[in-house]
Amino acid sequence: MKTIINKFKFCTLILLVAFSCTEIGDDPAFNTSASERSSEAVTEIKATLTEPTEGWIFEYYPHDLQIYGGYNYILSFDDNNMVDVYSERQADFSIPETSSYDILSIGGPVLTFDTYNSVMHEFSTPSAAEYQAKGGDYEFILSHTDVEDVLNARGTVSDNNLKLIKLTESPQSYLTKVKEIVDYLDGAIYALTIDGEKVQVPAVNRNLTFPGSGTEEDIMIAFIYTPTGVKLYNSITVDGNEITEFTLDKDNNQLVSIDGSTILDILSPPLNVNQDWKIDIFGADDVSDAVYNTFVDVYNANGATWGETLSNIISFGNTRAGTGIEMFSIATISTGSGYSAGYNTEFPLLISEPSLLSIVRTTPGTNWQWYGHLDPMIAVIVDNQPYELEGTPAEDPTVVKLTSTTDSDVWFTIRR
């Protein structure tokens, strides 16, 4: 028995010596070492990145759950490890921001933007409020795909599967087309017809929520705008049809899937709530007695609770704290300093009555735990929805009167 063990130890030692004489990662099937192959892969991917004259479209999704949707970047690499970065989020995307890049060999070619670039690092730069930033990446594992002129880029932080697509026109031309689609669809609400019935497909933060089939849960999927419409982060199946991308049909005001199987009607909400609207309670003839009297009650309650003066201006729609209704409690009259308090709401489209504005509560907003005594003001607005609208031209209103369809004594004017 002892002899067998000693022989086993001897054979193991021979194997270890033989292994130590071979570079880790070497494979007899290859004529070069692993390190040489890694170096060749880096050289080859760099040649691929620097080859296009106009650069690459980078379809970028920050955060591992893609909660911010996707954004178009244009990346133009040169041989000196410098890159020009353009983004649809730039106020002026005719001028790129230039910084350095590198390609590392870490189990494969890894593209890293290794010096700060405010455009490229927007979603990955932490702040006091967001110590993990917005879950964005600045390093990406690159690999080829089966499609010519398309590279895979997997985020090392988010693990999102992204795409680099060879650009065949100028960055400015491409991003201008994208912006035209964004502007056309801004604030749009979508409806999908299933079994003859229209069902709303909410669009929030570049995420669409499609209804599930039967007992299946709804499907939320991030999307990115393209020069011709929108593209989904992943293919999904809706009502038995697999869909990935939609083309905008302006003539019929629809988004149509590439194969034509799925059509989203583009509906315009009665009011663009993504604007800075205000209600002036003390404005001449701007509110009904029912709204005014409710405000007086919460004004007095606020004074009794905190000894603060409640501002007569109420934010409505796209407030500083979120989408909803926000009030301001003035602690010091001389300086005008104080505290905002609000309640978040949504404004879902009423498919059966698209001309009416619907308002529903969602969650308490900033400082609401301290200002719950203001709730009657939220209630008089939300509980009397939906509202009929009248005011300046609908294409770009600045003054709109909202009258409750459930209680005509409740009405108020919003201005921006």
Side-chain angles (χ1 to χ4, degrees):
M1 183 69 176
K2 183 176 181 181
T3 302
I4 294 174
I5 292 175
N6 287 336
K7 286 182 179 179
F8 175 77
K9 289 181 178 179
F10 176 77
C11 291
T12 301
L13 178 62
I14 293 297
L15 289 173
L16 289 172
V17 171
F19 181 76
S20 67
C21 294
T22 303
E23 182 177 346
I24 294 175
D26 281 1
D27 189 322
F30 295 97
N31 295 322
T32 58
S33 68
S35 61
E36 289 174 323
R37 293 196 301 276
S38 295
S39 179
E40 290 171 0
V42 167
T43 300
E44 190 275 333
I45 207 75
K46 182 174 182 179
T48 300
L49 289 177
T50 57
E51 184 269 330
T53 303
E54 303 294 351
W56 297 82
I57 304 160
F58 186 27
E59 297 180 341
Y60 177 61
Y61 291 80
H63 200 276
D64 58 346
L65 299 177
Q66 304 94 47
I67 61 175
Y68 303 107
Y71 294 90
N72 291 276
Y73 288 75
I74 305 297
L75 309 176
S76 181
F77 301 91
D78 70 16
D79 292 325
N80 298 316
N81 282 48
M82 301 301 289
V83 57
D84 290 338
V85 182
Y86 307 79
S87 166
E88 64 167 283
R89 291 175 63 82
Q90 290 174 280
D92 179 4
F93 46 68
S94 64
I95 303 174
E97 183 163 337
T98 303
S99 59
S100 66
Y101 75 94
D102 200 359
I103 301 174
L104 310 176
S105 179
I106 309 175
V110 175
L111 170 64
T112 177
F113 297 88
D114 56 355
T115 57
Y116 181 70
N117 184 304
S118 65
V119 179
M120 190 67 247
H121 292 89
E122 176 186 0
F123 289 97
S124 58
T125 302
S127 65
E130 297 176 312
Y131 71 95
Q132 292 184 320
K134 287 183 167 61
D137 295 276
Y138 61 89
E139 293 185 328
F140 307 88
I141 302 169
L142 301 184
S143 61
H144 289 279
T145 70
D146 295 333
V147 181
E148 188 178 1
D149 298 330
V150 178
L151 295 174
N152 283 324
R154 181 160 59 84
T156 59
V157 172
S158 69
D159 205 37
N160 287 340
N161 293 311
L162 313 173
K163 290 287 186 292
L164 284 164
I165 303 167
K166 187 175 180 180
L167 183 62
T168 57
E169 58 186 301
S170 73
Q172 294 80 10
S173 173
Y174 185 88
L175 292 176
T176 296
K177 293 175 183 176
V178 169
K179 187 176 186 304
E180 289 173 354
I181 297 293
V182 173
D183 290 345
Y184 185 90
L185 296 176
D186 181 44
I189 295 174
Y190 305 102
L192 174 68
T193 302
I194 298 179
D195 296 330
E197 181 180 349
K198 285 189 182 295
V199 180
Q200 184 175 343
V201 177
V204 179
N205 292 332
R206 299 195 178 198
N207 274 257
L208 292 168
T209 301
F210 290 89
S213 300
T215 59
E216 295 179 359
E217 294 183 356
D218 291 350
I219 305 169
M220 178 179 284
I221 185 73
F223 70 87
I224 191 170
Y225 291 102
T226 72
T228 56
V230 301
K231 183 191 297 184
L232 306 183
Y233 174 72
N234 278 328
S235 296
I236 61 172
T237 300
V238 176
D239 197 29
N241 300 306
E242 185 175 353
I243 52 176
T244 303
E245 189 171 353
F246 292 89
T247 299
L248 174 62
D249 179 355
K250 289 186 178 179
D251 291 337
N252 294 303
N253 210 30
Q254 295 175 329
L255 286 176
V256 183
S257 64
I258 298 300
D259 64 359
S261 65
T262 305
I263 296 175
L264 295 179
D265 291 310
I266 302 170
L267 306 177
S268 298
L271 177 75
N272 184 358
V273 295
N274 296 316
Q275 293 176 325
D276 192 16
W277 295 99
K278 304 291 184 186
I279 305 170
D280 184 354
I281 298 296
F282 296 163
D285 300 323
D286 270 10
V287 297
S288 67
D289 289 343
V291 174
Y292 178 83
N293 291 334
T294 302
F295 178 82
V296 170
D297 289 341
V298 299
Y299 180 97
N300 292 331
N302 193 59
T305 303
W306 295 117
E308 298 171 354
T309 302
L310 191 63
S311 171
N312 59 293
I313 303 297
I314 298 176
S315 294
F316 180 87
N318 187 19
T319 69
R320 292 173 300 169
T323 299
I325 302 167
E326 183 186 37
M327 288 168 271
F328 189 73
S329 184
I330 304 172
T332 307
I333 297 296
S334 59
T335 63
S337 64
Y339 306 94
S340 62
Y343 208 100
N344 296 323
T345 65
E346 290 181 350
F347 301 85
L349 183 71
L350 295 176
I351 300 295
S352 59
E353 295 281 355
S355 64
L356 300 181
L357 180 68
S358 176
I359 311 173
V360 296
R361 292 178 186 248
T362 53
T363 58
T366 303
N367 291 324
W368 196 251
Q369 68 270 34
W370 310 112
Y371 289 89
H373 52 273
L374 304 181
D375 193 78
M377 199 66 213
I378 307 297
V380 74
I381 293 175
V382 175
D383 294 352
N384 288 291
Q385 63 89 36
Y387 289 88
E388 291 181 340
L389 281 64
E390 58 179 300
T392 54
E395 55 267 21
D396 189 24
T398 57
V399 180
V400 179
K401 181 180 179 182
L402 283 68
T403 303
S404 169
T405 58
T406 59
D407 184 351
S408 60
D409 289 334
V410 175
W411 56 264
F412 55 92
T413 300
I414 58 175
R415 301 174 184 271
R416 63 179 181 87

